[in-house]
Amino acid sequence: MITRKDSSRSSWMAYFFLLAAWCCLFSPAVMVKHENFKKCDQSGFCKRNRAFADTAAATSSWTSPYALDPSTVKFKDGTLSAVVLKTVGDGEKVKLPLTVTLLESGVARVTLDEEKRQKGDIELRKDSKARKERYNEAGKWALVGGLETSKGAALSEKVEKGYTKVFYGVGGKHEAVIQHSPFGIEFKRDGETHVKFNERGLLNLEHWRAKKEPPPVEEKKEGEEEKQEEETKEPEPQGEDESTWWDESFGGATDSKPRGPEAVALDITFPGYEHVFGIPEHATRLSLKSTRGGDGAYSEPYRLYNADVFEYEMDSPMTLYGAIPFMQAHRKGSTVGVFWLNAAETWVDVIKSKTSANPLSLGTKSHTDTQTHWISESGLLDVFVLLGPTPQAMTKQYGELTGFTAMPQSFAIAYHQCRWNYVTDEDVKDVDRKFDKFKIPYDVIWLDIEYTQEKKYFTWDPLTFVNPTKMGKQLDKTDRKLVVIIDPHIKNTDNYPVVDELKKKELAVKNKDGNIYEGWCWPGSSHWIDCFNPKAIDWWKSLFKYDAFKGTLANTFIWNDMNEPSVFNGPETTMPKDNLHHDNWEHRDVHNVNGMTFHNATYQALLTRDSKGKELRRPFILTRSFYSGSQRSAAMWTGDNLAEWSHLEASIPMLLNQGISGFPFSGADVGGFFGNPSKDLLTRWYQAGIFYPFFRGHAHIDTRRREPYIPGAPYTEIITQALRLRYQLLPAWYTAFHEAHTTGAPIIRPNYYVHPEDEAGFAIDDQLYIGSYGLLAKPITKEGATSVDIYLADDQPYFDYFDYTLYQGAGKTHTVQAPLEKIPLLMQGGNIIPRRDRPRRSSGLMKFDPFTLVVVLGKDGNAEGTLYIDDGETFDYQVGAFIHRKFAFSGARSILTSTNLFADKLTVKAENYLKSMAKVRVEKVIVVNAPKAWKSNKEVNVSEEGAKESARKRGVGLEFFEGGRGKADWAVVRDPKVGVGKGWKIDFN
Amino acid sequence: MGKQRLCTISFLLYVLSTTADAASEAPRPRGVGPEFAKFYKDTEAFTCISNPTIKLDIARLNDDYCDCPDGSDEPGTSACSHISPLSFLAVPRTHATQYNETLALPGYYCKNKGHIPSYIPFTNINDGVCDYDQCCDGSDEYEGVGGVKCEDRCSKIGKEWRKKDEARQKSLGAANKKRRELITQAARLKKEVEDRIKTLQTQLQAQEQKVAALEQSLAAVERAEKGKVIKGAGKGGKLTVLASLAKDRIQELVDNVQRVREERDIAKSRIEELEEILRRFKEEYNPNFNDEGVKRAVKAWEDYAAQERPGPDSAKDRDLDEILKPDSESAIKWDEYEGGEESDVDVLYKFEEYLPDSLRQWVDAKLRDLRVLMIENGILADPNTDAPESKTVTDARSQLDSARNELDNDKREITQHQEDLEKDYGPDDVFRALKDRCVEKDSGEYTYEFCWLSKTTQKSKKGGGHTGMGNFARIEKITVDEDLPADGKGLGSGERWVLKYENGQHCWNGPNRSTQIILACYETDEIWKIVEEEKCVYRMEVGTPAVCESRFGSAKKDGSPEHNEL
């Protein structure tokens, strides 16, 4: 009996193991390879600092060992300097110079350095050539302005003992209160604390110390082996755990760490804030989850270490391709933020600490504090504190520091058609013709790596791309563009002048020994250009000259991929941290800005590629890796996603997060990169993709073709409608980009950004507003869904974009029917939306088309909106060559007006531009939610500035339509013939 | 949708060419083709073509504002270009079915004086691009937006076109001639097959007779043979001989099994080692590399690993051990069988020895007859089956066998030829003449080859093996709608013959390769274009004289002329 039972169990076990083994064999193919990437406890400094935090939390009498020496405090011109002393064992004090800079913008910057390293008073191990200082150049790459110190900032005279206090910001409303011992800072606005440094005592700056090397072992003689045993004996642990201080191995690669432990870490608390957003890029929700375990929380910190993550997973704090260490905390009535300027590997723990209401003390309401813990491997502790108080102020302040989004060429916000790969120049031309044949608009076609000759960038495969110039010219005929990929790895091979020059001029990244670094990427053995080197940038520029990179034309643009950098055989698919860059900075110090230096170099190259110095055009570059500041020169996409519904769903919060984090020109691969989407998924993805600021369809080389004309009826027709909708709304998109370019506002906006007072909507991240137009979209991201619930935060009436069905009611969701052919898109009352209704082959061919204005009257009967247009390609807009209008409808007066938002004197270029646009008119005004009183009106009166006296006042036809059940009434002004760049008035009385 | 419209255009073009003269008198509004002139005659008002309830002031005609739900008031502007199922409505409908909202006009009419008139989509009007392909007179850009100027190029384009058209017509003539030759050839080949069938049928009859005769003679010989009880003389007992033979044989087998087993064990451990290497390879390779070779290897390994294989059966191995032991219990005791025994035949003779001589004769004869009877009726086993046959029988049988073989071969050949006659060889059997002929084309890094009714192949120029892109499966017809360039090397539009090639080499992460070959009329066999439409699904556009007349034949049937884009 017993034996039988046993045997049956063992056979069951055998099946189980067989099944398990089978699963192991196949599932990794569709999942991220976790073992390739570090968890916090595999990254020494993260593990050390998390352990430090655990110790602090577990010690009731925990005191941070950092104290400010009050005798060292100096304050001059808005800058406070002092020395913070770190007490280490034996009462030894380590000097850490502190700088607190108060900026005119109301932002405070806190920088903590280490004197010994600063002065180079340390010794590096293993004859390392690396720099001795903590990396202090991240700002050189990330910051472009907003650094003027506050003139009004002042040291407070009246202050408690043990504290130093500074007033700053507009009207001195901001205060930084520095506690001397233990060292900590509270940032206040209007007397209320919003941000606290070192409240939990987790400040940790790992000071330099020499490694206590074990006594040198006598030189071994041959055959003498008994000593080995002695060598491997671990020294008895004493005091701190040094196991991760000196060398670290992961996945078979060893990091030599010549400078020893050098992490910087700090806890930052946002008292009273339940929601924090930002720190992209992660495949996670907009409102960041806590990371210390528990229900629905992550157990790993958010990681920022730019990496090429193959088939990344959803809902994870795992690192991705780019990093923006900017976090904002939001609550009703206030938004604040911190910008952690550090380019090294960084981990961020988030904890939400709830305080329940105290029934004994009046006025103590229950609230949630968000506590964060920032940990970087090396570099300075350098933090900006932004005190808002609104989401708009937040994006503006951050934008002033790191720069606003570049004004893109108009084609760049239209539709991009990509695939790995269009295989020949004929293939490209054929796809181009097919789009026309099926009457589908598109602007840009892309070439992935296969166009090159054996993955040598700046070459064309002579067999497949026989005549790239002819191909480029065919595209140009319909004002279309070509984007080709250029990556930072340069093939290490013979007969390739680019690599020869790279080597000869010594412009490549070096290994720890100072020799040229060699790793593997697409071409096999490769070297990497080091764009930290100004000479490398100059050389890079020379490669893009039209006469150097033959076959490229003025309509060729560039895609920079793999710039994390991706190194197939490197640790965590990137470079060894002890590699050396220009000026001997270690790769560990600069890793997260590496990608940005590369696409910045390409940006400069595109500006100078015409040797004849002809008219400058705005470059277009797509990058995969990014850092704070990347928005100034590139667009980004969320990398290699999967053709799965979950990835479609995740794209919305990811892009919303990009938007509020200062890099709004972002998109996700429409259709999903890996795998074949079902026709339904593809269709829904296009319907969502038209709301991505960067809108590109892309596919992996192993997938079936899926250009919009492929799926057939009814899908092709539905996708075409979606694409045409994007094109129809391009004037609104372009204006939204202009707003981002001038104010830092996101292009697509989450609910909290538009309705910062609506607490119920703070975490909503699956619906979005386009620019300032009140256009509210909620893409369908669930398989088989035929309706969707849209949340309305305010009590304005909202109207279906297509049939004017009314939805109204604040703080609730409203069900919108959405069969496959329907895009859930609403118009908020109170807005005026500019459109161009004539379908064309590309956006370039719409430049002189007339406009339609959709005036959506709000509950008070008013509406307004803006329109920005320029030539869409040159930099002439910088000298005023643009049209920027404000349209406003006054319900009280029943008059629609167009007024100029640009008051400067006109330059010649500006005048020429206006002249070129003189004939471009408003052909139609649709008033949605029109007053019933207009029912009997047949005419409106139109008057235009500068028109001849006789034509000053014209009667123009008006037609009124009754919407019927549940739908708004509307009226259409028939061809008012007013110039879009002119001042005018339409009187509906 | 777009397809439909284009068809309409080509139809209209046809009508146009016949009525152009008649309609040229009255000046028409811009963009109106002659066949629509009648709707635009009224000089006071305009009535929307498909929505006659809507009447407009004549000033609203071509005023760049779309009034008619069918767009007919704007034949010369792009104002109504959004009327399409591909666009959302610009303004919602008040009543779903109130109006006919299909564009009433096929497009903007370009007169193209000096060339052929044509319609161009409204979306292309005044967009700043001179669309000379459709509108050689440049009239599509009369507004000159953005400073564009499109001069009239019709005389030049028309001249070139006529020149090319002439050449094309000429080439078409040659192509048709070639096709007729092919058909003649195909007919000849068909005739040959038919003749061969006839010859074979005659041969078959003779062969059948021969077989029947041989069957009879074999039966006779066998009957005579069956009477004999003893065949060949055996010394000593047969069992003894057998036993000694078996002993030697078994020893030999045991030795061999032992050797094979050792070899197997070595091979097994090598396979385990290899599988371990591959397993590690699969786990550690970088999937980001797009190395076809590696991918293929990994895929093949995955397939291999996924196959169910019975594990080593230790019980069977134990059995084997047992068998190989010389002195085991199961081993045969040879000594027991060796020597001392009488043969079975001797025993029979001994039985008869007890009978008187005459009786013995009689019994003997009766017994023999009885045996034959029983054997022939299947009651008794034929003793001869496990003994060597006599030469006469063998000869007779082999004669019969070879005659039967010949008969089967002939039958098979006839069936083959008959099937071949029934097989689809396309229009007028024309592909019969081309079977197994091959055409090649260089395209990118490959040379592509297509062989009529056999296979398609991709040959890498960078070296490496050839890749089979499919084997011929069947002939089909599809409708295409493509440009026909002036040199005639294009599919044009209408029904075309298609050769389907399937089940080519398997694709990593994809299907088996397949090729669709779309044929269009041309003077010579020529591959024009090769496209990988989907992963490992290829499409070749091929010109051949083989489909020439049928192309016109089918086109004429539905009344539309050859498609002219220019």
Side-chain angles (χ1 to χ4, degrees), chain A residues 25 437 522 840-841 974, chain B residues 67 123 127 282 288 481:
Chain A
L25 205 59
K437 188 174 140 92
W522 298 123
R840 300 291 196 186
R841 286 168 284 184
R974 187 196 182 281
Chain B
D67 289 296
T123 52
D127 63 352
K282 199 247 153 185
N288 275 324
D481 182 14

Side-chain angles (χ1 to χ4, degrees), chain B residues 71-272:
Chain B
S72 55
D73 62 317
E74 297 296 318
T77 76
S78 60
C80 294
S81 56
H82 60 278
I83 299 177
S84 157
L86 299 176
S87 284
F88 287 111
L89 289 172
V91 181
R93 296 183 178 96
T94 38
H95 304 287
T97 53
Q98 193 180 6
Y99 296 118
N100 182 339
E101 284 164 341
T102 311
L103 269 182
L105 304 170
Y108 174 98
Y109 181 78
C110 295
K111 292 180 185 148
N112 293 346
K113 233 175 225 163
H115 190 35
I116 302 163
S118 101
Y119 282 104
I120 174 169
F122 289 121
T123 52
N124 297 20
I125 304 307
N126 292 324
D127 63 352
V129 179
C130 309
D131 288 296
Y132 285 123
D133 284 354
Q134 294 157 86
C135 211
C136 61
D137 61 8
S139 65
D140 56 327
E141 294 301 322
Y142 61 88
E143 280 282 353
V145 297
V148 72
K149 281 197 185 79
C150 305
E151 85 262 9
D152 187 337
R153 291 190 186 165
C154 283
S155 67
K156 189 169 161 252
I157 291 174
K159 204 177 187 177
E160 271 168 33
W161 183 85
R162 281 187 294 276
K163 207 167 121 192
K164 280 191 177 150
D165 190 50
E166 208 173 285
R168 199 170 66 214
Q169 295 302 339
K170 216 163 148 188
S171 139
L172 216 56
N176 280 324
K177 198 174 148 221
K178 276 197 185 154
R179 179 170 194 272
R180 282 191 293 277
E181 284 166 19
L182 284 174
I183 289 171
T184 321
Q185 201 182 334
R188 203 186 65 232
L189 288 169
K190 191 176 177 185
K191 181 85 179 16
E192 274 172 19
V193 174
E194 284 163 348
D195 290 351
R196 177 73 184 142
I197 290 175
K198 269 185 205 145
T199 320
L200 282 170
Q201 273 164 344
T202 328
Q203 212 171 300
L204 196 72
Q205 278 172 7
Q207 204 67 31
E208 270 167 352
Q209 284 167 9
K210 192 176 167 194
V211 167
L214 284 170
E215 271 169 354
Q216 274 177 16
S217 72
L218 175 66
V221 173
E222 274 180 337
R223 197 176 159 78
E225 275 299 298
K226 272 172 196 154
K228 288 184 193 160
V229 178
I230 310 155
K231 293 143 299 284
K235 253 188 207 158
K238 268 195 162 179
L239 196 61
T240 319
V241 178
L242 188 68
S244 86
L245 278 172
K247 191 188 172 188
D248 293 349
R249 191 75 180 155
I250 284 179
Q251 190 52 48
E252 202 180 318
L253 285 172
V254 166
D255 291 348
N256 274 309
V257 166
Q258 199 120 35
R259 186 176 50 77
V260 167
R261 190 173 181 227
E262 276 159 20
E263 283 171 8
R264 183 206 67 175
D265 287 345
I266 293 167
K268 213 157 92 183
S269 70
R270 289 188 61 164
I271 285 181
E272 274 161 16

